[in-house]
């Protein structure tokens, strides 16, 4: 079963994410979203600016995910294998260095 939290931890372990805040409860999630929404009016004086806030219709997500996977695989050919290896062998004890260089 795919669990986003596990994938996120893998990214941290691989050094691809160095800092993050992750809500541990619905209350914390709501507080983070409220903080984010409260910051938006503060951006007005800074216009023009580039926002990294992106939204997508749920119906468009499968195509996006497939294209993103293809892009990641094209630029980082062993990314999928590293993710699978981390998921299936979190302790890193099965055939170290055989599938992927360490």
């Amino acid at each position: 079963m795919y669990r986003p939290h596990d994938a996120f931890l893998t990214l941290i372990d691989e050094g691809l994410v160095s800092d993050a805040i992750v809500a541990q409860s619905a209350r914390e999630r709501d507080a983070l979203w409220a903080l984010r929404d409260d910051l938006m009016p503060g951006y007005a004086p800074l216009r023009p600016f580039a926002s990294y806030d992106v939204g997508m219709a749920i119906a468009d997500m499968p195509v996006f995910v497939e294209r993103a996977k293809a892009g990641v695989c094209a630029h980082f050919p062993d990314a999928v294998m590293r993710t699978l290896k981390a998921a299936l062998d979190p302790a890193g004890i099965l055939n170290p260095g055989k599938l992927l260089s360490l």
Side-chain angles (χ1 to χ4, degrees), residues 70-84:
V72 168
C73 290
H75 289 85
F76 306 99
D78 65 348
V80 173
M81 285 302 294
R82 287 188 184 282
T83 302
L84 286 171

Side-chain angles (χ1 to χ4, degrees), residues 53-69:
D53 192 17
V54 177
M56 177 183 309
I58 291 174
D60 295 335
M61 287 184 183
V63 171
F64 171 79
V65 169
E66 288 307 313
R67 287 181 181 168
K69 283 182 188 176

Side-chain angles (χ1 to χ4, degrees), residues 83-91 94:
T83 302
L84 286 171
K85 173 87 165 106
L88 298 173
D89 181 25
L94 300 175

Side-chain angles (χ1 to χ4, degrees), residues 62 68 99:
L99 289 176

